[in-house]
């Protein structure tokens, strides 16, 4: 796909998205990519899932182990376009404007260590907050199966208020992405009721802190 067309589509979707302020600032965007690009990206990700050696990801809960695949060193057309879009200055500026005022986008770095995370049925992620160096955390949803509206709600990221009451504000739907700015009360997690919860995770950080990851 032509990069300029892809960028313009993503930029339009971000610019025209609303910012949720409860329980903390968050942005949820459907149809973030053009359909043809998303189909190609999803096909490639599922090929990786079933043909690459996956690693254990023990960050979420000691009682179970998710599987992950780091795309850091992958040289692939769809993945490279994905990186290029989210590393674009205009895209970064649009995302940051949803959460921050008067912040120089040149100080923000897109973390290229994209992680594919695969979670099975009846799992849960402990309630947690992301590290403060992550200026914006990003979760891209890649459903593998046809889901009901209830399943889409039940398997999306859950945001919690300061009393740790859960709020389901997004859906685990094709071609959708959730952004939020981590802080001391940005509690979140997830449960699974489906067999294949596939996500692509990445974040933005300050230049002087990115080397610590």
């Amino acid at each position: 796909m032509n990069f300029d067309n892809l960028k313009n589509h993503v930029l339009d979707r971000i610019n025209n998205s609303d910012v949720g302020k409860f329980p903390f600032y968050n942005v949820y965007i459907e149809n973030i990519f053009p359909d043809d690009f998303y189909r190609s990206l999803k096909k490639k990700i599922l090929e990786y899932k079933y043909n690459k050696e996956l690693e254990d990801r023990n960050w979420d809960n000691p009682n179970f182990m998710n599987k992950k695949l780091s795309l850091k060193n992958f040289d692939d057309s769809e993945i490279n376009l994905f990186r290029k879009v989210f590393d674009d200055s205009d895209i970064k500026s649009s995302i940051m404007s949803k959460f921050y005022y008067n912040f120089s986008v040149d100080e923000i770095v897109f973390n290229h260590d994209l992680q594919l995370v695969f979670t099975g049925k009846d799992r849960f992620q402990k309630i947690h907050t992301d590290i403060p160096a992550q200026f914006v955390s990003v979760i891209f949803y890649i459903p593998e199966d046809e889901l009901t509206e209830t399943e889409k709600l039940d398997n999306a990221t859950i945001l919690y208020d300061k009393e740790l009451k859960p709020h389901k504000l997004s859906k685990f739907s094709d071609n959708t992405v959730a952004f939020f700015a981590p802080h001391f009360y940005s509690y979140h997690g997830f449960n699974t009721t489906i067999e294949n919860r596939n996500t692509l995770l990445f974040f933005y950080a300050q230049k002087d802190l990115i080397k610590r990851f």
Side-chain angles (χ1 to χ4, degrees):
M1 164 167 278
N2 177 276
F3 172 73
D4 289 336
N5 292 338
L6 182 61
K7 171 187 170 177
N8 289 336
H9 179 97
V10 173
L11 194 58
D12 180 72
R13 297 300 299 146
I14 296 171
N15 287 339
N16 288 288
S17 63
D18 295 323
V19 179
K21 298 182 179 180
F22 180 83
F24 48 87
Y25 279 75
N26 65 91
V27 178
Y28 172 72
I29 304 175
E30 298 178 301
N31 301 312
I32 186 70
F33 291 122
D35 289 341
D36 54 347
F37 177 75
Y38 174 70
R39 286 193 296 268
S40 296
L41 179 66
K42 178 177 179 176
K43 180 181 178 181
K44 187 61 64 69
I45 286 172
L46 294 182
E47 287 176 359
Y48 290 156
K49 177 180 181 179
Y50 292 108
N51 294 291
K52 298 288 185 180
E53 184 176 352
L54 305 180
E55 303 174 70
D56 289 334
R57 185 181 190 266
N58 58 355
W59 303 359
D60 301 320
N61 191 301
N63 297 321
F64 70 81
M65 197 77 71
N66 288 327
K67 293 293 183 179
K68 68 174 183 177
L69 179 65
S70 171
L71 301 180
K72 185 175 183 178
N73 298 315
F74 277 50
D75 185 11
D76 172 276
S77 57
E78 286 84 5
I79 299 303
N80 289 341
L81 271 175
F82 188 99
R83 289 191 186 100
K84 188 175 180 180
V85 164
F86 285 107
D87 208 11
D88 180 86
S89 295
D90 294 330
I91 298 289
K92 288 194 294 184
S93 180
S94 182
I95 293 171
M96 294 303 150
S97 71
K98 302 292 183 181
F99 303 101
Y100 300 102
Y101 294 102
N102 300 323
F103 199 91
S104 173
V105 72
D106 294 333
E107 296 299 315
I108 295 296
V109 177
F110 165 58
N111 175 26
H112 280 236
D113 187 14
L114 300 170
Q115 282 199 3
L116 292 172
V117 179
F118 309 109
T119 307
K121 188 177 180 179
D122 297 327
R123 307 287 179 87
F124 69 95
Q125 182 187 59
K126 285 186 172 182
I127 300 173
H128 68 287
T129 62
D130 290 344
I131 57 177
Q134 294 183 209
F135 265 63
V136 173
S137 296
V138 188
I139 309 161
F140 182 68
Y141 299 137
I142 314 163
E144 194 165 334
D145 310 299
E146 289 292 328
L147 303 177
T148 65
E149 291 300 303
T150 297
E151 289 173 328
K152 291 177 183 179
L153 280 173
D154 287 345
N155 291 275
T157 306
I158 302 171
L159 307 185
Y160 296 85
D161 59 28
K162 290 183 179 180
E163 285 71 46
L164 300 185
K165 180 180 178 180
H167 300 275
K168 297 178 180 180
L169 303 176
S170 63
K171 294 181 181 180
F172 183 72
S173 300
D174 271 306
N175 200 12
T176 60
V177 64
F179 301 86
F180 64 90
H183 57 74
F184 292 117
Y185 301 107
S186 57
Y187 301 118
H188 61 284
F190 66 81
N191 302 317
T192 60
T193 65
I194 57 175
E195 202 60 57
N196 296 295
R197 186 185 192 270
N198 307 319
T199 57
L200 180 54
L201 308 181
F202 65 96
F203 62 88
Y204 294 93
Q206 282 182 290
K207 281 184 177 179
D208 60 344
L209 295 177
I210 193 71
K211 293 180 181 179
R212 299 185 186 184
F213 301 106

